[in-house]
């Protein structure tokens, strides 16, 4: 089997996507954290105007998050239906951040690559810094955005994330199969 490396982002404007591949690694991130990171990225060059931008859009955040979570769930369910369990490997973004080496080992095993641990460790060590790392933000916009969201919206988002993630994990090539 020939492997193709392909990167696609969840598109919040549309829950549709054309899957043309036999196997997939699916990196799943909490939709609330995803939209916070996106907002942080979009406002990174606003500097002193960031708070003004966020205050202006305050009343939209609950609506935006609810819609984003709904589309996020539909998209991930479509991905799951597009692949048989043995051909999709689900990686939780938070797990990847916590245990990079372990998660990369699982990925390489799923893909059928025999990569020794010391090579993966070297790769991780060489890529801990660089242009892909964001510098800390002085204004704490993430906390400001969170303060705009209702508790009900945050709880609903977390509940949908947990249910969808569990469904994805239960219906995919699970890590226990890789490491066991």
């Amino acid at each position: 089997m020939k492997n193709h490396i392909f990167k696609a982002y969840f598109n919040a404007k549309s829950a549709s996507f054309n899957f043309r591949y036999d196997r997939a690694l699916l990196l799943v991130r909490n939709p609330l954290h995803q939209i916070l990171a996106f907002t942080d990225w979009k406002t990174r060059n606003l500097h002193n105007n960031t708070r003004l931008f966020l205050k202006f859009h305050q009343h939209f955040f609950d609506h935006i998050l609810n819609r984003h979570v709904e589309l996020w769930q539909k998209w991930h369910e479509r991905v799951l239906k597009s692949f048989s369990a043995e051909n999709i490997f689900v990686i939780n973004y938070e797990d990847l951040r916590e245990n990079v080496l372990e998660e990369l080992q699982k990925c390489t095993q799923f893909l059928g690559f025999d990569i020794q641990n010391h090579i993966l460790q070297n790769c991780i060590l060489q890529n801990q810094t660089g242009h892909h790392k964001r510098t800390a933000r002085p204004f704490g916009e993430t906390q400001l955005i969170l303060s705009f969201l209702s508790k009900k919206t945050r709880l609903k988002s977390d509940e949908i994330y947990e249910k969808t993630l569990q469904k994805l994990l239960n219906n995919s090539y699970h890590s226990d199969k890789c490491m066991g």
Side-chain angles (χ1 to χ4, degrees), residues 59-142:
H59 62 284
F60 292 114
F61 281 125
D62 272 347
H63 173 72
I64 290 169
L65 180 61
N66 283 323
R67 182 70 177 136
H68 177 77
V69 170
E70 178 185 318
L71 291 172
W72 178 93
Q73 183 181 25
K74 285 180 184 178
W75 191 87
H76 284 83
E77 287 175 354
R78 177 135 192 271
V79 171
L80 189 59
K81 290 178 185 175
S82 299
F83 295 95
S84 59
E86 66 273 2
N87 288 325
I88 186 167
F89 184 74
V90 176
I91 309 155
N92 183 355
Y93 179 82
E94 285 74 18
D95 291 346
L96 180 63
R97 288 194 57 162
E98 291 290 318
N99 304 303
V100 177
L101 180 61
E102 185 179 327
E103 295 302 314
L104 284 179
Q105 288 168 332
K106 294 173 189 177
C107 291
T108 58
Q109 189 166 0
F110 167 74
L111 293 172
F113 298 137
D114 185 20
I115 301 177
Q116 298 172 350
N117 282 351
H118 72 278
I119 294 172
L120 285 176
Q121 287 172 332
N122 239 0
C123 179
I124 293 166
L125 289 173
Q126 291 176 14
N127 290 288
Q128 289 183 337
T129 61
H131 65 82
H132 59 282
K133 294 286 186 178
R134 293 185 191 161
T135 55
R137 302 280 305 278
F139 301 115
E141 286 84 355
T142 300

Side-chain angles (χ1 to χ4, degrees), residues 13-51:
K13 293 179 183 174
S14 168
S16 65
F17 190 81
N18 182 18
F19 299 103
R20 305 178 311 254
Y21 299 95
D22 296 328
R23 302 177 86 198
L25 289 172
L26 178 62
L27 182 62
V28 180
R29 186 172 191 185
N30 183 314
L32 173 58
H33 299 170
Q34 186 181 49
I35 204 165
L36 289 173
F38 177 76
T39 304
D40 181 56
W41 173 70
K42 286 301 248 185
T43 61
R44 75 180 309 113
N45 294 322
L46 294 177
H47 303 296
N48 293 333
N49 294 328
T50 302
R51 288 179 182 266

